[in-house]
Amino acid sequence: MSYLNASIPPIYCKIRKEYLYDLDKKYSTEYYDCVVFGITSIAGRAILFNILLANGACYWRLPISAFFQKRFSRAEVQDMQIHELELWNCFSYYPSVHCFDYLVGEKGKYLGLDKKFKYGKYLFTIDWAHPDPNILDVEHSEIPQEHKCAHILELDNGNYAAQPNNRILWNISSFTTGRNWPDYTVQTTEWSVENKGLVSEDTDRMFYNVEVKDETNG
């Protein structure tokens, strides 16, 4: 787990030029080639992406709405707002980046704000946690009902998106056969196997016994 910055699998893509000029609209039809190679996670802000441009310059902390896929021309790709592509801000300064083998190359769909499905291919996942019990935890990353991850998707429409588990349905041809939108309940339980009234024997045996503690004897 990293603090503030983390590497990601490189994404060769294009950046909408106005994002390099503080959203100056005179550049709103232009673009540059770039490589996205890292993220910055600031609690309470959108996931921010760090890039290298073809002229050798690095540019830091850009939103996911700044980018579109290399195989598209800019005229082909709809300019979408950041909140249409990413539902939640970062949950802490400590991001974890992981690429789950089972989902690599798989496609899914998420329900957009317009109530229409957006389809895309899995790239990798960003998740968050709290690093140290000696640091005051004022965030939500480890509260069961508040936790969200962000799966980064390469959308069919040329954009990229960052969506949590409860917005995406995956299409794994060998397994997913259902078509309904789930009605599951948010999990609120903090799971633990300790403090269940068990006690281990007080010996130096490697294979010790575990018993239910007899509370009647104190």
Side-chain angles (χ1 to χ4, degrees):
M1 181 171 296
S2 304
Y3 172 73
L4 187 63
N5 295 307
S7 294
I8 64 171
I11 302 172
Y12 287 81
C13 61
K14 297 174 181 176
I15 180 169
R16 294 173 169 94
K17 188 174 177 179
E18 65 268 27
Y19 282 87
L20 300 175
Y21 293 89
D22 200 25
L23 300 181
D24 191 328
K25 292 183 178 179
K26 71 181 180 183
Y27 300 111
S28 62
T29 61
E30 301 178 52
Y31 68 89
Y32 284 129
D33 290 331
C34 71
V35 183
V36 186
F37 62 85
I39 63 164
T40 297
S41 178
I42 299 175
R45 296 191 193 176
I47 302 167
L48 302 171
F49 295 84
N50 307 321
I51 71 170
L52 175 69
L53 292 145
N55 63 4
C58 278
Y59 206 104
W60 237 238
R61 300 186 179 184
L62 293 158
I64 201 166
S65 56
F67 309 102
F68 65 99
Q69 292 161 46
K70 194 176 183 69
R71 60 192 176 93
F72 289 88
S73 69
R74 176 144 191 190
E76 294 178 290
V77 183
Q78 176 189 357
D79 290 344
M80 297 179 69
Q81 297 184 65
I82 184 173
H83 61 273
E84 296 178 283
L85 301 168
E86 179 181 342
L87 193 59
W88 301 106
N89 287 330
C90 297
F91 283 80
S92 81
Y93 285 87
Y94 298 89
S96 168
V97 177
H98 193 82
C99 188
F100 290 99
D101 290 349
Y102 188 74
L103 293 177
V104 170
E106 300 293 353
K107 299 197 72 173
K109 61 183 180 181
Y110 77 90
L111 192 62
L113 297 180
D114 58 2
K115 308 304 180 186
K116 297 179 181 179
F117 282 111
K118 316 297 180 191
Y119 295 82
K121 184 175 71 174
Y122 175 81
L123 296 181
F124 59 90
T125 301
I126 303 170
D127 209 341
W128 293 269
H130 187 68
D132 188 335
N134 293 309
I135 299 174
L136 181 64
D137 186 0
V138 297
E139 303 300 339
H140 298 82
S141 63
E142 296 187 7
I143 301 172
Q145 65 269 28
E146 298 296 335
H147 164 263
K148 306 288 189 300
C149 68
H151 298 297
I152 306 302
L153 303 174
E154 183 183 76
L155 298 182
D156 289 358
N157 66 13
N159 287 294
Y160 296 91
Q163 292 290 317
N165 278 324
N166 63 326
R167 302 302 300 172
I168 302 175
L169 292 178
W170 299 99
N171 181 25
I172 313 296
S173 300
S174 63
F175 184 74
T176 54
T177 57
R179 294 292 183 267
N180 61 309
W181 189 251
D183 62 351
Y184 310 139
T185 302
V186 172
Q187 178 173 265
T188 61
T189 303
E190 292 186 10
W191 299 100
S192 174
V193 297
E194 297 189 28
N195 299 315
K196 304 298 183 183
L198 304 178
V199 61
S200 60
E201 65 181 64
D202 186 16
T203 71
D204 60 359
R205 293 200 303 176
M206 181 177 177
F207 290 91
Y208 51 81
N209 289 316
V210 177
E211 306 289 347
V212 177
K213 186 177 181 181
D214 185 357
E215 298 290 351
T216 61
N217 293 328

